[in-house]
Amino acid sequence: MIKIPAQKPNAKMEVLIIDGQALVHSVVRGALLDAGIGNVQSAHNAYSALRLCQVTNFDMILIAFDVKSDKDGFNLLEEMKFKGYITKTTCVVFLSADTTQGLVNCVVEMEPNDFWVKPLDRSKVEKRIHQIITIDKKLYSLRYCFDQGEYPTVIYYAERQLQDPSLSLYYPQINRLIGKSLFNIKEYHGAQEFYEKLAKNYSYAWVQVGLASTLLKQNKIDEATELTAELLNRDDTKFATYDLLAEFHIDNEDYQLGYEIIQEATKLAPRSIERNKKSWNLARLNHDRMGQYLATRNIAKYAKNSIHDTPDLQLNVIRSGLDLAATLSETESNKLLINTERILVRLKQDFGNATDLGDQ
């Protein structure tokens, strides 16, 4: 059995607040102090936040979307996950005054523990912090095991926690970890039965999406088609269902249908670099030059100042732009070529001295 490290008491927890507004730091810091958490550090931009994460393993990170000066909070959150500064046992709260559906979809995909809408209310912040810490302590063992890939152990602990009436408030989170663990060890039939049982008591989106994913993995097409048709009509399940269906059709080499679906998913959450890359590859397979151009442009746009950002992304925009121009009318082609020329000039100015890039 895996050895689980002891949890820190509140007084020993390390917390990082990342926000460009001093008032946010003041409100959150005060609420944390009331919760007995005194080890709180502040960063006003992404660069400072990453420097702090290099020397401290934070137990809780509050990160704002509108981080000033270098990169936005979404790109920063993605980079912190990629570099291992954020794990399943790290409590993450995303802060934003922007609640547009595209941004919310992208943030939800990164799976923070909570999403707070700014401006913040001190009393509400205190209540939410108390709730988050309580849940985090109750589910610490499960999340640690899940983070280590010990899925059978997650199931073992979770099934025992479900027998404890004092944890009834946390049954949904516990069940969700069981479902994910069954799926990760490819017990698809067992996962299907598990989600079907949950569906009798819970109306959560993740239950229905989990059930759909297990049906697709087992090629139970009729059942999956009926369920996914329902889920595409629900706002809370539409986004995840598009991803499931796209993956299924791509695995079965139906690239045209997979491409149509991934385009719809990209419209809902345009910031996903991996989804845009998938859209680009599928556009090439389907000989859609306009789709290739739009995908490369999205990748370059949303990768700016992120861990994905490289000069090659702009080169891809130039290449796809030239390919597209050859298929357009003279007027449309000239407009596109003028814009492409601007990109090329900027790229030469910024990176022309790099030998490999200069040759390209």
Side-chain angles (χ1 to χ4, degrees):
M1 192 70 72
I2 185 173
K3 184 177 181 181
I4 301 171
Q7 283 184 273
K8 294 180 181 178
N10 287 8
K12 294 284 183 73
M13 288 179 65
E14 298 280 355
V15 179
L16 174 62
I17 306 169
I18 310 166
D19 196 293
Q21 300 175 335
L23 180 60
V24 171
H25 289 268
S26 176
V27 170
V28 176
R29 184 182 291 270
L32 288 166
L33 286 171
D34 286 346
I37 301 171
N39 299 325
V40 182
Q41 298 191 57
S42 293
H44 293 269
N45 55 53
Y47 176 78
S48 299
L50 292 170
R51 288 289 299 271
L52 289 170
C53 286
Q54 289 174 1
V55 295
T56 303
N57 292 321
F58 290 101
D59 305 291
M60 178 185 289
I61 297 177
L62 299 100
I63 177 171
F65 172 69
D66 52 340
V67 178
K68 304 298 181 184
S69 75
D70 36 16
K71 62 184 70 183
D72 66 39
F74 178 81
N75 286 332
L76 177 57
L77 176 57
E78 185 181 37
E79 182 169 348
M80 293 169 86
K81 282 194 160 206
F82 178 79
K83 291 182 174 178
Y85 300 147
I86 291 176
T87 67
K88 285 290 182 185
T89 55
T90 310
C91 184
V92 178
V93 178
F94 199 82
L95 316 173
S96 178
D98 183 353
T99 57
T100 54
Q101 196 60 50
L103 173 64
V104 172
N105 285 338
C106 292
V107 173
V108 168
E109 196 170 26
M110 299 298 287
E111 297 185 336
N113 296 74
D114 209 352
F115 187 117
W116 297 354
V117 178
K118 297 198 290 185
L120 302 180
D121 178 88
R122 171 64 181 268
S123 61
K124 290 181 180 178
V125 168
E126 290 177 2
K127 184 177 179 181
R128 295 285 275 273
I129 284 176
H130 175 75
Q131 291 173 338
I132 290 170
I133 293 174
T134 302
I135 293 173
D136 196 53
K137 290 185 181 301
K138 296 288 186 182
L139 303 183
Y140 172 77
S141 296
L142 292 182
R143 287 175 174 165
Y144 179 83
C145 292
F146 192 93
D147 205 36
Q148 301 300 312
E150 297 286 340
Y151 304 120
T153 306
V154 172
I155 296 170
Y156 173 85
Y157 278 122
E159 287 178 341
R160 278 147 186 78
Q161 287 193 330
L162 290 174
Q163 304 303 314
D164 184 349
S166 69
L167 297 176
S168 59
L169 187 63
Y170 312 107
Y171 284 177
Q173 292 96 324
I174 295 169
N175 278 314
R176 190 171 189 177
L177 288 172
I178 292 177
K180 285 184 175 182
S181 296
L182 287 168
F183 193 87
N184 287 341
I185 59 177
K186 300 182 179 180
E187 290 285 349
Y188 300 128
H189 181 67
Q192 177 191 338
E193 292 182 335
F194 178 75
Y195 283 122
E196 286 174 339
K197 183 179 178 181
L198 287 180
K200 296 176 182 178
N201 300 310
Y202 298 117
S203 59
Y204 298 123
W206 58 266
V207 175
Q208 298 298 326
V209 173
L211 177 57
S213 64
T214 60
L215 292 172
L216 288 170
K217 284 295 185 182
Q218 297 174 87
N219 283 311
K220 295 184 176 181
I221 305 303
D222 291 341
E223 294 175 71
T225 300
E226 182 180 353
L227 178 57
T228 54
E230 295 175 10
L231 299 182
L232 287 174
N233 288 319
R234 285 177 52 175
D235 289 338
D236 59 341
T237 55
K238 181 188 294 186
F239 174 67
T241 304
Y242 274 132
D243 271 353
L244 285 179
L245 290 171
E247 182 182 352
F248 174 77
H249 291 300
I250 292 168
D251 288 345
N252 286 276
E253 299 183 359
D254 188 343
Y255 301 121
Q256 178 60 43
L257 188 51
Y259 179 42
E260 292 171 7
I261 292 170
I262 207 72
Q263 284 179 303
E264 292 301 316
T266 302
K267 290 175 186 176
L268 289 173
R271 289 177 171 271
S272 171
I273 303 300
E274 291 307 314
R275 191 175 293 108
N276 276 300
K277 285 181 179 178
K278 193 175 291 184
S279 182
W280 178 32
N281 289 329
L282 288 168
R284 286 190 290 187
L285 289 170
N286 287 287
H287 309 291
D288 179 2
R289 293 188 178 181
M290 177 61 80
Q292 292 178 57
Y293 176 69
L294 293 175
T296 55
R297 197 173 64 176
N298 279 345
I299 293 168
K301 175 183 177 181
Y302 291 115
K304 191 69 176 174
N305 296 325
S306 77
I307 55 175
H308 307 283
D309 195 8
T310 68
D312 286 334
L313 299 185
Q314 293 294 342
L315 275 177
N316 291 335
V317 177
I318 293 168
R319 292 190 184 103
S320 61
L322 293 173
D323 289 341
L324 175 60
T327 69
L328 301 175
S329 68
E330 184 175 354
T331 301
E332 292 174 322
S333 177
N334 286 336
K335 288 181 181 178
L336 179 58
L337 289 173
I338 290 170
N339 185 59
T340 302
E341 182 68 26
R342 290 196 192 104
I343 298 173
L344 186 58
V345 169
R346 286 199 302 269
L347 201 59
K348 284 181 178 179
Q349 290 173 345
D350 293 340
F351 302 102
N353 292 330
T355 304
D356 292 343
L357 193 63
D359 291 342
Q360 294 186 64

